[in-house]
Amino acid sequence: MNVEALRGIVGKDWVITKREQMLDYVRDAVFNSVMPKVAENVILVKPANAEEISQILKLANKEKFPVVVRGGGSGLAGGAVPTIDCVLLSVERLDKIEEVDRANLMITAQGGVTYESLIEAAEDAGMFFPPKPGDVAAVVGGVVACNAAGARAVKYGVTRNFVKGLEVVLPTGEIVTLGGKLIKNAMGLDLLHLMIGSEGSLGVITRAVFRLVPKPSYSCTLVASFNERLEAMKVAPLLAPQMIIPLAGEYVDHDLCEISAKYLGTEWPAKKGNAHIFYICIGETEDEVYSQAEAIAKICEENGAIDVLMAETRAEQDNILKIRGEIASAQKAEDSVGDFLDICVPPASLTELMESILEIEKKYDTRIPVTGHSVDGNLHPTPLKELADRGLLEQVKEDIYKETIRLGGVISGEHGLGTIRLHSTPLWPEPKIWELMRGIKKAFDPNNILNPHRVFPD
Ligand SMILES: Cc1cc2nc3c(=O)[nH]c(=O)nc-3n(C[C@H](O)[C@H](O)[C@H](O)COP(=O)(O)OP(=O)(O)OC[C@H]3O[C@@H](n4cnc5c(N)ncnc54)[C@H](O)[C@@H]3O)c2cc1C
């Protein structure tokens, strides 16, 4: 890797070669137990714009060195970890919100803008950007590259539903614009949507145009508590048939809420039960919000809820969200988790999935803590490290994955395959799909320069 040539492109201050100066860059948010090994020779570069990224990728193709893209480093699949000797390309300097366009209800932001700044800019203008991955450090490029989702996907869907345009630097160095501020676009194959969720394998995202929606005026959060985990899960699929679509419906084990509340020095408000689902309702009028909340509370009470509490003030709602959002950090601090899974099944199959998890717990005499965006069928079981100590962790994961696939699901709903889930891909039932994906990668990246050894099994 030609350090001098890289300095010539981005300036000497933006090329870092000493490991001690890049410690925060060589890992992502993956749990320590599955953190991939970082390579010895990594050069961190921080280009200022698409043109500099284009020159780096042209150089990489000429000299045949790999480039790994890094956004906010909040990924949960090891995708941004430099597991091979490479140039690690951080997009952090592409940090401008270029336009909030009220006439078209769209926002244009560079690839390194943090998710937090993006939602703030939209909300300051009286609008709303629904996708909400749990970590505010995530940046525009990373969120689009992972097709991130989060709690609000129940009502609004995932990031893909909001991306209208992208500027991308292709692995071979050309800069292309895909889509734009358009509601309709029928111009041939949809490369825009191929790029969304490609986890940095097909190009570096340097700019994105997102559709916005009107900011809801009212919200409330209700927490329904159940004695049994399965009872809570059984309620989640009962809303859709009654045409009730809340903003979010999050499943949490009670003990995980307590661990997270303790970690934050606060209190989880629901004291009864072993399992909770909390629902967020939004609307244009208080009546609309409360009639939805009441309908959900009634369904919960008729189906085994032992308590339902309503959080109305902003502070009460924020407390619940904060505790939910920090469960992963609290689990990390305890250092008890072997892996953080991201399985997704059709929403109506959620109960069967939970039944399978309970069976697997019994089979291996273990406990598998669970959180999840339950109403959309996406769960995050966290098999414990003690399974690894007994040599059983991989077997337990395989059992969970096989059950997920049996129910018509996928082994990643929102975090992606990155580097850590590749060894599980042989479980995918259709090899032809991988063959097609590898063909597309070859067309975009003939020298396998960008993000190699991740996303696609070698
Ligand atoms: C506490 C916590 C909660 C989370 N909750 C959720 C959740 O609810 N829903 C959810 O979907 N995710 C969640 N995540 C995961 C994470 O926030 C998302 O995957 C996010 O999209 C990652 O963005 P990032 O900028 O941090 O990307 P990184 O971690 O930096 O990178 C992720 C992948 O994207 C690629 N990439 C990064 N930037 C670019 C770019 N500009 N162009 C092309 N490729 C790029 C990288 O190479 C890598 O493969 C959570 C993470 C944490 C730590």
Side-chain angles (χ1 to χ4, degrees):
M1 289 177 287
N2 187 335
V3 178
E4 279 318 308
L6 290 167
R7 286 185 178 131
I9 296 170
V10 296
K12 68 178 175 33
D13 291 345
W14 304 109
V15 177
I16 289 132
T17 54
K18 292 201 172 80
R19 178 56 57 94
E20 61 271 22
Q21 292 171 0
M22 60 171 98
L23 291 180
D24 287 344
Y25 290 83
V26 293
R27 51 176 303 140
D28 66 5
V30 157
F31 279 66
N32 277 339
S33 44
V34 281
M35 182 62 71
K37 192 170 177 313
V38 177
E40 287 293 316
N41 299 308
V42 176
I43 299 173
L44 173 64
V45 293
K46 301 182 181 184
N49 51 45
E51 288 68 30
E52 290 183 3
I53 295 172
S54 160
Q55 287 180 50
I56 293 166
L57 287 169
K58 284 182 179 162
L59 182 70
N61 274 277
K62 193 165 146 225
E63 300 194 355
K64 305 283 182 295
F65 60 79
V67 175
V68 170
V69 196
R70 181 184 170 88
S74 74
L76 286 167
V81 179
T83 51
I84 37 167
D85 292 349
C86 67
V87 164
L88 182 61
L89 188 154
S90 166
V91 294
E92 72 194 73
R93 291 174 68 207
L94 284 75
D95 61 356
K96 309 272 175 313
I97 292 180
E98 295 179 346
E99 189 189 30
V100 182
D101 178 351
R102 275 188 78 90
N104 286 305
L105 282 183
M106 297 209 193
I107 186 166
T108 304
Q110 294 179 350
V113 167
T114 63
Y115 167 77
E116 192 172 30
S117 324
L118 187 78
I119 44 168
E120 252 175 48
E123 293 192 10
D124 286 351
M127 291 179 278
F128 189 54
F129 180 65
K132 192 176 192 309
D135 195 302
V136 288
V139 301
V140 161
V143 167
V144 175
C146 295
N147 188 24
R152 298 167 176 175
V154 178
K155 186 172 179 72
Y156 288 105
V158 299
T159 296
R160 178 180 302 285
N161 302 18
F162 292 87
V163 182
K164 302 312 291 179
L166 290 177
E167 178 189 78
V168 178
V169 186
L170 298 177
T172 38
E174 299 87 347
I175 303 173
V176 295
T177 301
L178 305 169
K181 291 180 187 174
L182 300 164
I183 303 298
K184 296 180 178 178
N185 181 349
M187 298 296 290
L189 296 185
D190 199 336
L191 299 185
L192 174 81
H193 281 275
L194 198 51
M195 209 52 74
I196 302 164
S198 66
E199 295 183 61
S201 60
L202 302 183
V204 182
I205 294 157
T206 48
R207 176 181 286 119
V209 180
F210 297 105
R211 181 172 70 87
L212 299 173
V213 297
K215 191 176 168 186
S217 305
Y218 295 93
S219 71
C220 83
T221 301
L222 71 100
V223 185
S225 304
F226 300 81
N227 279 326
E228 301 295 333
R229 302 158 98 192
L230 195 55
E231 285 178 312
M233 290 292 178
K234 277 182 179 163
V235 168
L238 299 179
L239 304 190
Q242 301 207 30
M243 303 298 127
I244 300 173
I245 314 288
L247 177 67
E250 295 282 283
Y251 172 84
V252 278
D253 280 349
H254 179 76
D255 52 353
L256 292 180
C257 298
E258 291 294 353
I259 291 168
S260 178
K262 192 168 163 209
Y263 171 78
L264 289 167
T266 178
E267 262 199 51
W268 175 247
K271 297 296 172 203
K272 295 182 189 159
N274 293 310
H276 314 280
I277 299 199
F278 71 84
Y279 296 95
I280 305 176
C281 305
I282 55 167
E284 281 317 300
T285 63
E286 274 186 285
D287 275 358
E288 186 190 344
V289 170
Y290 289 111
S291 65
Q292 185 178 78
E294 274 165 22
I296 295 174
K298 187 164 176 276
I299 293 174
C300 292
E301 281 159 356
E302 285 171 358
N303 289 279
I306 51 167
D307 198 19
V308 177
L309 68 86
M310 193 91 74
E312 291 170 48
T313 67
R314 191 69 270 155
E316 287 168 341
Q317 296 190 57
D318 286 350
N319 185 46
I320 292 168
L321 285 179
K322 183 83 185 143
I323 291 170
R324 163 69 182 96
E326 291 296 323
I327 286 177
S329 309
Q331 284 181 297
K332 268 187 191 168
E334 282 204 325
D335 199 22
S336 58
V337 169
D339 202 350
F340 188 92
L341 309 188
D342 176 37
I343 50 179
C344 191
V345 294
S349 303
L350 192 74
T351 313
E352 257 190 279
L353 181 64
M354 191 66 204
E355 277 166 354
S356 300
I357 292 172
L358 295 174
E359 281 302 314
I360 293 167
E361 281 188 336
K362 261 196 234 150
K363 178 174 167 190
Y364 293 97
D365 188 23
T366 188
R367 173 163 169 81
I368 304 173
V370 176
T371 56
H373 312 295
S374 62
V375 179
D376 54 23
N378 181 200
L379 292 186
H380 300 309
T382 50
L384 298 176
K385 254 174 137 178
E386 62 88 14
L387 285 165
D389 301 338
R390 290 195 275 146
L392 294 172
L393 182 60
E394 291 310 312
Q395 189 57 49
V396 167
K397 279 161 50 176
E398 190 170 323
D399 280 13
I400 295 175
Y401 286 156
K402 280 185 172 159
E403 282 302 289
T404 304
I405 291 164
R406 180 182 70 78
L407 294 168
V410 289
I411 67 169
S412 178
E414 55 178 16
H415 298 158
L417 296 172
T419 53
I420 66 163
R421 273 186 262 277
L422 286 186
H423 63 284
S424 304
T425 51
L427 293 171
W428 192 270
E430 290 178 67
K432 181 69 187 172
I433 290 175
W434 293 115
E435 191 189 315
L436 290 169
M437 286 196 206
R438 281 198 202 93
I440 291 166
K441 168 73 173 166
K442 187 96 184 146
F444 275 77
D445 189 3
N447 295 317
N448 199 20
I449 292 296
L450 195 63
N451 275 15
H453 309 298
R454 56 208 69 211
V455 192
F456 309 93
D458 288 326

